[in-house]
Amino acid sequence: MAEHLQLTKGLSRAERYVELIPQIRSLVLGETDVIANLANLSAVLKAAFDFFWVGFYLVKGQELVLGPFQGSVACTRIQKGKGVCGAAWKEKRVILVPDVDRFPGHIACSSLSKSEIVVPVIVDGDVRMILDVDSDILNDFSEIDEKYLKQIVKIIAEEII
Ligand code: SME
């Protein structure tokens, strides 16, 4: 396991992802426990970007159940199709929300959350979990986050689950 996270100062967000992804790969390759890896991944993304909230919801039966995360207390269960997370699960696609107040049915775990991106982790056609990232800044996420978070989720799908 990589014991030290290299975070060079002054990088753009894209450069930061590029620096991070090989480190994420080596971090998870040395560990077989899913929860341990998801916990470390949440910590890595928090440390790298200081996101307001970052973590995982795991598909358990007909619900998403809160998994490892970094940030404030969050709702523990989300029904399929509900909120941004439930919609990303149902529709099996990334959902990028520039302004959460304009997303019908958004579940506000914190009134400080202003924008959000949700990336499903899909294995053999089934959503197994979702990665949820919240920001306290409006319109904080772009195609750059989508591109690199998808790469991170691919590592989860291929190496962790
Ligand atoms: N906002 C999410 C709920 C999860 S929290 O943001 C941590 C949603 O609408 O699904």
Side-chain angles (χ1 to χ4, degrees):
M1 166 183 153
E3 291 172 355
H4 173 74
L5 196 58
Q6 168 72 36
L7 294 174
T8 306
K9 285 192 169 52
L11 297 185
S12 68
R13 193 176 285 192
E15 290 167 337
R16 172 58 44 84
Y17 278 116
V18 168
E19 178 179 65
L20 218 52
I21 285 174
Q23 299 186 73
I24 286 177
R25 191 170 280 112
S26 71
L27 184 66
V28 302
L29 280 181
E31 175 55 60
T32 55
D33 188 88
V34 176
I35 296 298
N37 279 328
L38 298 181
N40 258 346
L41 262 176
S42 305
V44 166
L45 290 171
K46 177 72 177 175
F49 301 105
D50 198 24
F51 289 132
F52 177 71
W53 196 97
V54 53
F56 296 89
Y57 279 91
L58 312 179
V59 173
K60 296 198 175 178
Q62 294 307 302
E63 295 177 315
L64 290 170
V65 181
L66 183 63
F69 72 95
Q70 296 266 317
S72 50
V73 170
C75 47
T76 54
R77 288 172 190 268
I78 296 174
Q79 306 303 308
K80 196 168 193 176
K82 301 292 181 192
V84 186
C85 296
W89 175 20
K90 186 176 172 189
E91 296 168 24
K92 295 186 179 179
R93 66 179 181 94
V94 176
I95 301 185
L96 204 160
V97 184
D99 179 353
V100 295
D101 289 336
R102 290 173 181 269
F103 187 94
H106 168 258
I107 300 164
C109 293
S110 165
S111 60
L112 295 175
S113 178
K114 302 293 182 210
S115 57
E116 180 165 2
I117 184 167
V118 176
V119 186
V121 181
I122 300 174
V123 178
D124 297 332
D126 293 324
V127 177
R128 301 282 294 274
M129 61 183 76
I130 62 99
L131 168 61
D132 181 18
V133 189
D134 289 23
S135 173
D136 55 1
I137 300 165
L138 268 177
N139 202 13
D140 197 20
F141 302 107
S142 72
E143 293 69 29
I144 293 196
D145 299 282
E146 176 167 352
K147 173 181 172 183
Y148 290 108
L149 291 175
K150 273 179 166 172
Q151 291 183 17
I152 292 171
V153 153
K154 192 162 179 275
I155 296 173
I156 297 172
E158 290 176 356
E159 310 291 351
I160 294 188
I161 296 179

